[in-house]
Amino acid sequence: MSEPVEFSLVEDGTAMISMNRPALHNAFDEGMIAALTAACLRAGEDPRVRRVVLEGRGKSFSAGADLNWMRRSAAYTAEQNHADALGLGRLMRTLNDLPKPVIGLVQGAAFGGGAGLAACCDIVIAAEDAKFCFSEVRLGLIPAVISPYVVAAIGPHQARRYFCSAEVIPAPEAMRIGLAHIVAPRDGLAAARDAMIATLAQGGPEAQADAKALVGDVAGRDIDDALVNMTARRIADRRASAEAQEGLAAFLEKRAPSWRAG
């Protein structure tokens, strides 16, 4: 039996995390959630990993929750349901907080929790045929665990509409509202991925980790003295870092910095 999630590391430092249940449109259950969480932790902790690509094998990125898993959960106690939901919550937070840039490569369906996974990615490249949907209310449920990441991506006003209507969101509309960043032809998805990987390779890996964390630390905050001081401290610390010193020296000497060597 194949693994529900496959992890591979390319020589350029790209970790590929592939959801591998194509016959089920990469719908996830507790086993797949645990495997995805483990893969994300592995990528985050491995110093060789510079960036992560999250993809789904087959026709779809992820159709959301597996029906058999949902049937089992219907018989859970309140405590079991809470523990089960926390597992999904840990996955979303682990992916969202990865200290490496994450590219989500979305084709076909990204429904429910699948759309939530996309919202946790830093850069979402969607095929022209990609369709996003927060379908939970049609089952009498709500997209609770994924909501912090989706609202951060598309804002509360759009979230109100799509959480309540469960409308299917085509790729161009997903890009317009902030759920996707790039829309590419289905047969051009790999090329768009490779172009973004090449773009990310230009940046210092430590700076990228700090830049990603910076967004989370300033989003939604009042611009007050505390925030101004915090951001000034962040750039001062970064200027003093070995990576920044190397980057500035390389710029002045008109050469590639060490992280782009070779």
Side-chain angles (χ1 to χ4, degrees), residues 69-233:
W69 179 43
M70 293 175 69
R71 287 191 188 99
R72 289 195 299 274
S73 68
Y76 288 170
T77 65
E79 292 76 12
Q80 288 172 322
N81 258 314
H82 185 227
D84 194 57
L86 279 176
L88 181 60
R90 281 190 291 271
L91 167 59
M92 296 293 166
R93 187 173 181 183
T94 301
L95 177 61
N96 186 76
D97 292 352
L98 261 179
K100 321 282 173 78
V102 180
I103 300 170
L105 211 59
V106 179
Q107 83 284 359
F111 280 24
L117 288 174
C120 291
C121 296
D122 303 303
I123 302 158
V124 176
I125 303 174
E128 289 174 334
D129 70 342
K131 293 178 173 60
F132 301 78
C133 183
F134 305 102
S135 52
E136 287 84 354
V137 295
R138 297 195 178 184
L139 300 173
L141 303 172
I142 56 173
V145 171
I146 66 174
S147 62
Y149 315 103
V150 177
V151 171
I154 69 175
H157 207 206
Q158 296 288 4
R160 287 182 186 181
R161 171 181 174 174
Y162 289 110
F163 283 7
C164 290
S165 70
E167 294 167 88
V168 172
I169 309 168
E173 179 66 4
M175 184 169 69
R176 189 187 73 80
I177 66 175
L179 194 53
H181 299 92
I182 297 167
V183 174
R186 179 66 176 262
D187 60 4
L189 208 55
R193 173 202 65 199
D194 292 345
M196 183 54 64
I197 288 172
T199 297
L200 290 171
Q202 305 300 306
E206 294 173 8
Q208 287 173 336
D210 281 355
K212 180 172 176 174
L214 177 66
V215 175
D217 291 340
V218 304
R221 286 187 53 172
D222 292 334
I223 303 175
D224 54 16
D225 288 346
L227 184 62
V228 170
N229 284 326
M230 183 271 280
T231 55
R233 174 51 56 197

